[in-house]
Amino acid sequence: MNGWIILDKPLGLGSTQAVGAVKRVCREAGVGKVKVGHGGTLDPLATGVLPIALGEATKLCGRMLDASKIYDFTVAFGTETAGLDAEGEVVATSDMRPTLAELEAVLPRFTGPIEQVPPAFSAIKIDGERAYDRARKGEAVEMKARSVTIHALDVHEASAGSLDSATLSAHVSKGTYIRSLARDIAHAAGTVGHVTMLRRTKAGPFDLSQAISLDKLNAFGQGAAQSEIILPLEAGLVDIPALNLSPEAAGAIRQGRVWTGGCTDDGLYWGRDSEMRPVALIEALAGTLKVVRGFNL
C-alpha cells in the first residue's frame, strides 16, 4: 500500500483527523497497518486539496510541505477578528469599503517576495509552545515577520461598487498564511477584513480534479476498488524528470551506492527500473548518480 489519497477535505475536519480517517478506512479495507502522513496542514475552517501519503510515499511528505500551493479565499471587509477568520472576537471595525479598482490597485504590493507577520492564532511555536495556545490563554503574542513569495494574486470574484467582500486567488510559497495576506490586503485598501472562505485548489502537483470526497474515501473501507481511491507513488513526482535505470544501476541505487557513468544533465531525477517502478530520488552530478531518498518497492 504505497501511494497517495488526495482528499477534498471538508469544513470542520483537521489535517490530523483526516490522517486518522485514512488509517481507519485502511483497517476497514483489510489492508493492515499502513504508514500515513499528510503533505501540508489545512485548517479545520479551510477546505480543499489535502495530499495524504501512504507507505513509501510518506518519504515525499517533506517535498510536498515545501511545494507551492494555490488557494481561493473570500475576504469580508469592515471587520477584523482575533483569528483573522470566521472564528474569534472582533478586534477592529471600519466603515470603509474598497471598490474593485481600489482593491486591484493594491494587489501588486503583495506579489513577489514579501514580508508577512503570521497570525497569533497559528501553530508556530514560541518558546516551545504553540502560538494559538498562548493566544487562547489571553497572552500577548508577538509574531515575527517572515519572508514568503506570492507567485500570483488576482481577484476571482467581486461585485460592482463598494465591496463588502471579494474572492481572490493566490499562488503562494511554503509558509504563507492566507489569513495574514487577507488582513494586509484589507489594510492596504484602507479598511480591515477577515477570511470567511478558504479553499485550497492545488498543492504541489495535485489539484481538485484528483481529489476525492470523504464519502468516497469511506467507500474504500466498504469494498471500493483501490484504483478508484489511491494514486501511485510517482503521481507525487510529476514535477521531476524520470530517469530510466539499467538493471545494474538500479541494483546499485537500491543498495545506496553511488553509480558512476550516468550520461545525463546535472539535477534532481526520480529513477525507475525496467518495470517502471520508482527506485529513488537521485541527484545527478558530473556523471554520477547519488541517492537522495530511496524507495523500498
Side-chain angles (χ1 to χ4, degrees):
M1 183 67 71
N2 304 290
W4 299 91
I5 291 176
I6 312 305
L7 185 65
D8 186 348
K9 190 191 80 63
L11 198 66
L13 188 73
S15 298
T16 301
Q17 291 173 303
V19 167
V22 168
K23 289 180 177 179
R24 171 184 54 78
V25 166
C26 286
R27 288 195 302 269
E28 291 173 351
V31 297
K33 189 175 182 180
V34 181
K35 189 174 183 180
V36 182
H38 67 75
T41 300
L42 204 53
D43 291 343
L45 291 181
T47 66
V49 175
L50 179 63
I52 298 178
L54 306 175
E56 289 296 288
T58 57
K59 294 178 177 179
L60 298 172
C61 282
R63 289 196 73 254
M64 207 58 60
L65 291 170
D66 290 341
S68 65
K69 316 287 193 302
I70 298 179
Y71 296 89
D72 289 342
F73 61 103
T74 299
V75 187
F77 297 112
T79 316
E80 186 173 314
T81 63
L84 303 178
D85 55 23
E87 290 186 342
E89 63 179 323
V90 174
V91 296
T93 60
S94 172
D95 293 331
M96 167 64 184
R97 300 291 186 274
T99 63
L100 176 58
E102 290 169 336
L103 176 60
E104 290 180 327
V106 304
L107 296 187
R109 302 186 205 175
F110 301 97
T111 305
I114 65 169
E115 291 290 308
Q116 181 185 78
V117 177
F121 285 84
S122 64
I124 294 172
K125 285 189 176 181
I126 301 175
D127 297 329
E129 188 175 6
R130 300 290 186 187
Y132 55 64
D133 289 330
R134 289 177 172 269
R136 285 167 184 161
K137 289 188 289 188
E139 297 181 22
V141 181
E142 183 178 352
M143 306 300 292
K144 295 182 180 179
R146 55 170 59 187
S147 298
V148 298
T149 301
I150 312 300
H151 302 291
L153 177 65
D154 56 66
V155 178
H156 186 68
E157 183 178 345
S159 59
S162 297
L163 302 176
D164 288 322
S165 66
T167 299
L168 296 90
S169 181
H171 180 193
V172 303
S173 71
K174 168 191 175 183
T176 303
Y177 280 90
I178 297 298
R179 288 176 290 153
S180 293
L181 181 62
R183 172 200 62 202
D184 296 342
I185 289 171
H187 288 179
T191 184
V192 294
H194 68 278
V195 172
T196 58
M197 184 281 292
L198 177 59
R199 182 159 176 78
R200 186 155 68 193
T201 60
K202 189 172 184 181
F206 300 117
D207 60 30
L208 285 170
S209 68
Q210 299 157 297
I212 63 171
S213 67
L214 197 58
D215 285 343
K216 190 166 184 179
L217 172 65
N218 289 330
F220 179 48
Q222 306 302 317
Q226 179 176 321
S227 60
E228 297 179 6
I229 307 296
I230 301 174
L231 299 176
L233 181 148
E234 53 266 36
L237 298 170
V238 295
D239 56 338
I240 302 173
L243 182 65
N244 294 324
L245 301 173
S246 68
E248 295 77 16
I253 293 296
R254 283 196 172 99
Q255 294 173 6
R257 292 189 282 126
V258 175
W259 180 257
T260 57
C263 298
T264 188
D265 295 334
D266 291 354
L268 184 67
Y269 297 84
W270 66 275
R272 59 190 180 189
D273 62 17
S274 58
E275 297 180 15
M276 300 293 109
R277 291 176 303 188
V279 174
L281 281 179
I282 299 169
E283 182 182 16
L285 182 62
T288 64
L289 302 178
K290 182 180 179 181
V291 177
V292 175
R293 198 70 195 249
F295 304 122
N296 297 316
L297 299 176

